[in-house]
Amino acid sequence: MRLHPKPLDEANAFVAVPSVGAALALLKRLRAAVGPGLSAFEIMLPQAYEGVTGFLGMPRPLAAQAPFYVLAEVQSFRDDQAIERFSASLMEGLEEGVAEDAVVSQSPREFQSLWTMRDSCADYVRTRDHIIGGDVSVPLHRIEAFLGASQAAVRRIDPETEFLVFGHLGDGNLHYVIATPKARDAMETVYRMVAESGGSIAAEHGIGIDKKPWLHLSRSAAEIGTMRRLKAALDPKGILNRGRIFDGA
């Protein structure tokens, strides 16, 4: 485990962007400007953004309405003007149209407020009915096509589906949360499209119990067989995390 020093300074920005492609262009721009100082790059769809701000009873950071929103964070570990370069790069993004509006934190309070909004998304979606969520990953260059195609496919199952998607765009990790009475059918469609996109149905949170029926979408028969043999070798009595990943194990 490698530890990093506490940053000398940090800031974040909440940005309205016109498309996933624009968000990825902004990600590339910020990485070029501040390198490893770019410590977070989160995405939120409008229903997640509007829902969580209402849930928290907080004013929206941006008045502009956009198809997607990004929360980006920069950390500075030495006197390298990383925050200034971060802000300048955002301004260039606004001028070039990869961003439509942006607000940059000017105090620790504003910095924390933006993170509270993002971190409360999970709490907000738990208050909704007919919710199901998938923690998935998709290669960055395929995320835009995947989001468009998967939303269209799910709407064919239930035209009234709400998409409360948020996640770690910089890592290609999406918390694909939807609200629909046809949740299981819709999520199975999403998982199949994740696999077709070269992604994984499990990103941060693993397979556990809920995703067992779809494990084959992300792992070949040979890989699953190897996993079973490792499980049997390390846990011959099947008493560790019983029922996780494999039935009867």
Side-chain angles (χ1 to χ4, degrees):
M1 182 173 65
R2 183 177 181 183
L3 301 179
H4 296 274
K6 182 178 180 180
L8 297 176
D9 203 359
E10 57 191 358
N12 56 16
F14 194 66
V15 189
V17 294
S19 67
V20 176
L24 293 175
L26 181 62
L27 172 62
K28 183 178 180 180
R29 173 182 293 279
L30 292 176
R31 280 177 169 165
V34 300
L38 185 67
S39 49
F41 197 85
E42 307 286 300
I43 192 169
M44 299 171 66
L45 266 63
Q47 288 170 314
Y49 167 53
E50 294 165 8
V52 75
T53 51
F55 169 71
L56 293 172
M58 66 178 288
R60 296 177 184 174
L62 296 176
Q65 292 185 328
F68 300 93
Y69 299 89
V70 163
L71 175 62
E73 179 188 81
V74 61
Q75 295 181 332
S76 177
F77 296 94
R78 57 186 183 276
D79 187 15
D80 58 0
Q81 297 185 318
I83 293 177
E84 289 79 0
R85 286 184 281 116
F86 175 78
S87 298
S89 186
L90 283 173
M91 288 300 298
E92 292 169 1
L94 286 165
E95 292 169 1
E96 294 183 10
V98 297
E100 296 180 342
D101 197 3
V103 58
V104 179
S105 62
Q106 301 297 317
S107 67
R109 178 178 170 276
E110 292 179 4
F111 176 90
Q112 188 56 55
S113 177
L114 291 177
W115 269 120
T116 296
M117 177 184 65
R118 165 59 185 85
D119 290 340
S120 297
C121 284
D123 293 329
Y124 160 61
V125 299
R126 291 189 191 103
T127 69
R128 299 294 308 275
D129 295 328
H130 306 301
I131 282 289
I132 191 169
D135 175 51
V136 304
S137 64
V138 176
L140 281 180
H141 67 283
R142 294 180 176 172
I143 280 187
E144 185 166 30
F146 162 74
L147 278 173
S150 62
Q151 288 182 67
V154 169
R155 286 195 175 103
R156 287 195 288 272
I157 297 171
D158 176 11
E160 302 302 318
T161 300
E162 290 186 68
F163 294 87
L164 309 168
V165 180
F166 58 97
H168 319 300
L169 184 61
D171 299 329
N173 175 204
L174 299 174
H175 301 302
Y176 203 109
V177 182
I178 53 179
T180 169
K182 301 178 180 178
R184 188 174 177 84
D185 289 344
M187 191 52 64
E188 179 163 0
T189 296
V190 171
Y191 285 151
R192 291 189 181 281
M193 297 185 76
V194 166
E196 292 167 2
S197 300
S200 173
I201 65 165
E204 290 182 291
H205 303 300
I207 297 297
I209 294 175
D210 293 342
K211 294 184 179 180
K212 286 192 295 184
W214 299 291
L215 178 59
H216 66 282
L217 295 176
S218 287
R219 294 292 181 265
S220 68
E223 289 172 324
I224 293 173
T226 300
M227 292 166 66
R228 285 187 177 277
R229 288 193 293 273
L230 287 171
K231 171 68 172 175
L234 297 172
D235 182 24
K237 295 183 179 181
I239 60 175
L240 302 178
N241 286 326
R242 188 183 299 276
R244 269 66 174 180
I245 305 180
F246 303 118
D247 290 330

